């Protein structure tokens, strides 16, 4: 490839292309529509009433149904891929994801990321990049932000290492930071029959485990359609020709697809946990491939009243997803590590009516 | 599973949990959008002009394109699954399905069911539950209602049997009960060229058989996306892990998927039968699986003028769908039973311009 | 099949059913919605900012995001199939495709075709039909027109041959005929960061080749969903039962699917070529099947200033798509013919900001 040609097709950033403090404005803002909502619903099968029916949402205090929290997250995440992780060796983690404003069909989402940490690996061939990514709507209001860290290749092994900066990350967001994306609701107008279960915030106990029972098999067409819907262009999800020659011999399902499936499955047991207020962190313990069936279970880690509002309360939930393994016995650990069927270990805050 | 945990994840109702007269309000109302319409169209390939073009619908007297009748039906049906048939051994039949109001994008559909019959099976391990299900829009108007009967497991074989009640079901809805979901139209403004065929109601003869010619192969991703779009959470459609160990070794395609495919195929021959006014009954003769190709043919059973309107007339149609078997010779019976290729035998009323 | 039955299911036109000058108005107008846009985006993964974000489009002078040019093309093309090519042996080519008005969600597209040429083949069993097809919106404005020629079977070998008429087709549309579907823009408000690349019209050089790098694997469900979305009912795309016994043993992916994939891949290198103004011609060199991975590269053939406007300039681009073969070395010819991996050779005009 000549230089002029290379100039037109970006090879993406390598480790030495990042600097702490740098802000990257990501390409392709996206107007979210009812079409996106319908597709998201058809791909994951969510049945939470707030996101499904304008009438239900309006009755309790939303102007109309907000878009699923994870749809907004995936759209923001998708925009960051070309600038942050196209040369990533691994997505190492994410933390401190806050949902800050509701998103409605018609809103336009754009995204930017600030580099908040860099640490070269000892082999000098790669390094860890920490970014604070942020999605905004057309009014400039933040809708979601989160920290992510990825291991990125160096273009040139001999490039000078930056001074290491590793941000201090909270293990869990404090309850006081939750709820900005949820208007003050009228719980008296929350119809528990239409919502599908009678359980309020106060009906959940710390330590309680919930098997979400159902399993959902993933097809190649499904995860490809979803990941393109999010305009996430990470190569590993779409290119069987190259992945067929790679480590797994096949396309890898986007980790966010597993989160969305687990969230949809969690309706059976957490039907009134209608809003994800924050994601404290998550580990994609093992890869998921088309043909696998995803199951999930959850544990209530913490139950917290909100600051200055008593319409809803917060539940800190750990949701564990498995592949090809029902969760009636809540599989998690085996020996030193995870149970071999576990693919996701997610720690997040949801809101439920009191 | 401990009791507290079981309390959060519903196991669904068993035969002894139903009582005649009981009304169940189903979860998750759903606002139908242009996104649902686009997906429905892309999944089944309908080409009926009334449902495809606002201009066409408006010209003849609709305010704009109504949603496909079967999309409305599937959404209502989907809501009933968790409460009625999650522990069903078999969906035995449905009858007396009337379409009562048109549905437009923006409308919110909710559903309820009344138990109208119960009959324990002689083996005392299961029984038949008859329900009258009803979908309503946000104004409280009925949009569709129908009777369904399913065989449901008993939780406890020794539970007392209820007094048997078997509702009296009409074999076919009378023509006088049809047409509420179709506004009075101006047939002079119905453009038969844009609609795709010249045939009016009067051009069809009782006994006439129509081969719909085309075949449509079903993929796993397609029926899963469709069935989740309808928020139908019946396990057999989605979980290859458990179904792989079951009777068929694979996921079962939702019976409504077959109906929608047959309806879309029927455009070739019934292009002006733009509205399903009622479904008299249907038999899902054999299961459909991904990879199979669906064909269909129809017979005109009855031709009836409408009461107090002469814009449209009613045709009672029997549509038979097969798998992996073209229908040029109208396969139906073989020996004592159905031809082995037949998967659906549907009896319904359509309206066509006079 | 009896005659009455055959009368209801159209067998489609054969070669002798066409006459030069004849105008065919095609069935099933279609109101384009945000749902179609979302599905199109999720099926092909486009990331062009103009079509993705209302805010971006509005800033530069569109009222809001127009629908992807190729979505409009495919919808028009789909309508012509039942009348023109349902009995085609081969789609031989298309030319002189002009995009004449932008399409927005809510617009209703209808289509018609005029027969502009006929030439019987020497074997007298088939002939070539040339049509000028045209899509219009609900206001009667032309949105796209193009010439297509297909080889169509004769019903009766002995039918008289029409006088041969072969239209004179331009190899490339003149630049003066371009741009009607693009309003006068304000390039100062075109945000190259949000658009994903800094390259303006003037940054491209004639002869420059661009490898679009990424590959996209196609699934059966994806191309079927797309082709039904376009209401294209060509049998070869949907019917595994019959295609399994045919020439390839499998369903053929709609050629337009390849064009849309190549266009979406071309974002990496042509991010600011936001509008397809015309398609000069295209050859579908080899068929694509599900499971294949599509790659693409482009060459700039011509760079032309527009007449009477200096907001945008035109680039004539040749985009070549391959299957299962990356394009870093720009595969095109091998020996006398095409490189065996090439599936599409497309010649078209795009507009980019100056």
């Amino acid at each position: 490839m000549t230089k002029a040609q290379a100039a037109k097709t970006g090879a993406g950033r390598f480790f030495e292309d990042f600097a702490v403090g740098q802000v990257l404005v990501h390409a392709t803002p996206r107007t979210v529509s009812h079409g996106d909502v319908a597709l998201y619903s058809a791909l994951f099968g969510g049945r939470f009433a707030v996101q499904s029916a304008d009438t239900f949402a309006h009755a309790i205090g939303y102007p109309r149904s907000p878009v699923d929290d994870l749809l907004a997250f995936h759209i923001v995440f998708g925009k960051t891929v070309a600038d942050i992780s196209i040369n990533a060796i691994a997505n190492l983690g994410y933390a401190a994801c806050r949902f800050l404003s509701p998103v409605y069909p018609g809103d336009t989402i754009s995204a930017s990321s600030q580099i908040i940490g860099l640490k070269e690996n000892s082999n000098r061939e790669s390094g860890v990049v920490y970014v604070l990514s942020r999605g905004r709507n057309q009014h400039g209001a933040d809708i979601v932000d989160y920290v992510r860290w990825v291991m990125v290749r160096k273009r040139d092994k001999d490039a000078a290492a930056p001074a290491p900066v590793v941000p201090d990350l909270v293990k869990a967001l404090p309850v006081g930071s939750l709820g900005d994306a949820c208007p003050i609701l009228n719980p008296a107008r929350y119809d528990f029959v239409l919502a599908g279960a009678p359980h309020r915030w106060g009906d959940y106990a710390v330590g309680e485990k919930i098997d979400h029972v159902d399993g959902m098999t993933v097809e190649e067409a499904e995860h490809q359609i979803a990941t393109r819907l999010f305009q996430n262009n990470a190569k590993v999800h779409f290119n069987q020709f190259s992945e067929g020659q790679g480590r797994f011999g096949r396309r890898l399902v986007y980790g966010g697809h597993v989160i969305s499936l687990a969230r949809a499955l969690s309706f059976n047991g957490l039907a009134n946990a209608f809003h994800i207020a924050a994601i404290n962190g998550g580990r994609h313990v093992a890869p998921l491939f088309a043909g696998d069936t995803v199951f999930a279970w959850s544990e209530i880690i913490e139950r917290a009243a909100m600051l200055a509002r008593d319409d809803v309360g917060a539940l800190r939930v750990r949701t564990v997803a498995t592949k090809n393994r029902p969760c009636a016995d809540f599989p998690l650990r085996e020996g030193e590590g995870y149970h071999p069927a576990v693919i996701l270990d997610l720690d997040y805050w949801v809101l439920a009516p009191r």
Side-chain angles (χ1 to χ4, degrees), chain A:
Chain A
M1 210 187 297
T2 70
K3 196 169 169 192
Q5 288 142 20
K8 293 297 185 330
T9 53
R13 282 181 184 75
F14 291 86
F15 180 71
E16 57 265 52
D17 299 324
F18 293 100
V20 170
Q22 188 181 12
V23 174
L24 300 169
V25 175
H26 304 304
T28 312
R30 189 179 198 317
T31 304
V32 180
S33 78
H34 284 294
D36 302 312
V37 170
L39 252 172
Y40 188 85
S41 173
L43 288 163
F44 298 108
R47 289 182 288 143
F48 294 94
V50 168
Q51 286 77 21
S52 179
D54 285 340
T55 49
F56 191 99
H58 188 261
I60 60 172
Y62 286 90
R64 57 194 181 283
S65 283
V67 159
D68 193 285
D69 305 302
L70 292 172
L71 173 55
F73 174 82
H74 295 320
I75 288 175
V76 172
F77 186 97
K79 300 197 178 323
T80 70
V81 167
D83 289 320
I84 304 293
S85 53
I86 205 89
N87 295 312
I89 299 165
N91 281 293
L92 298 173
Y94 41 86
C97 173
R98 300 180 301 169
F99 291 89
L100 298 165
S101 306
V103 177
Y104 298 100
D107 285 351
T108 298
I109 298 179
S110 57
S112 63
S113 296
Q114 183 170 12
I115 312 306
I116 59 168
L118 285 173
K119 187 170 186 306
E120 196 182 71
N121 287 329
S122 55
N123 64 12
R124 304 219 54 202
E125 291 182 346
S126 58
V128 178
V129 181
Y130 296 82
V131 298
L132 170 59
S133 297
R134 189 186 303 279
R136 285 203 178 87
N137 67 20
Q138 70 279 17
H139 306 300
D142 287 347
I143 54 171
V144 61
D145 65 9
Y146 63 92
V147 174
R148 176 159 80 113
W149 53 107
V150 293
M151 193 187 299
V152 178
R153 280 190 192 83
K154 288 177 71 178
R155 185 186 291 109
D156 172 10
K157 191 178 171 174
D158 297 327
V165 176
V166 175
D168 209 20
L169 295 170
V170 292
K171 193 167 160 47
L173 286 160
V175 73
S177 70
L178 307 179
D180 287 355
C182 179
I184 301 293
L185 304 181
N186 182 349
R189 305 221 33 210
Y190 189 101
D191 185 327
F192 289 82
V193 171
L194 289 181
H199 316 107
R200 295 163 186 269
W201 170 77
D203 295 327
Y204 290 88
V206 172
E208 180 176 353
K209 291 179 179 174
I210 303 163
D211 173 18
H212 301 307
V213 181
D214 293 325
M216 187 67 76
T217 304
V218 176
E219 299 295 321
E220 298 281 13
E222 293 172 353
H223 77 84
Q224 292 199 147
I225 289 172
T227 310
R228 281 185 301 242
L229 182 71
F230 311 142
Q231 294 177 311
N232 177 331
N233 66 318
K235 300 160 196 282
V236 293
H237 309 312
F238 302 112
N239 186 333
Q240 182 57 37
F241 179 82
S242 62
E243 296 309 308
Q245 303 161 27
R247 181 157 54 131
F248 300 114
R250 46 201 310 209
R251 284 161 278 176
L252 199 61
V253 174
Y254 164 49
H257 200 89
V258 179
I259 299 177
S260 284
L261 283 174
R263 169 69 175 160
L265 291 171
S266 80
F267 177 82
N268 193 354
L270 288 165
N272 296 314
F274 65 88
H275 171 50
I276 298 181
I279 300 175
N280 296 312
R283 290 195 57 182
H284 293 278
V285 175
L288 181 74
F289 302 105
D292 288 335
T293 302
V294 175
F295 295 87
W297 64 274
S298 296
E299 178 175 359
I300 307 302
I301 302 176
E302 194 176 337
R303 196 179 70 191
M306 302 289 286
L307 296 185
R309 64 191 290 181
D310 58 7
D311 54 339
V312 294
L315 296 171
R316 189 174 156 204
V317 179
R318 174 187 220 169
T319 292
V320 175
T322 61
K323 60 180 178 187
N324 308 320
R325 172 64 161 77
C327 292
D329 60 349
F330 313 115
L332 180 60
R333 297 278 168 197
E334 195 172 280
E336 300 286 290
Y338 278 95
H339 185 289
V342 170
I343 56 174
L344 172 73
D345 184 4
L346 191 73
D347 177 341
Y348 59 111
W349 283 106
V350 290
L351 304 189
R354 294 185 66 160

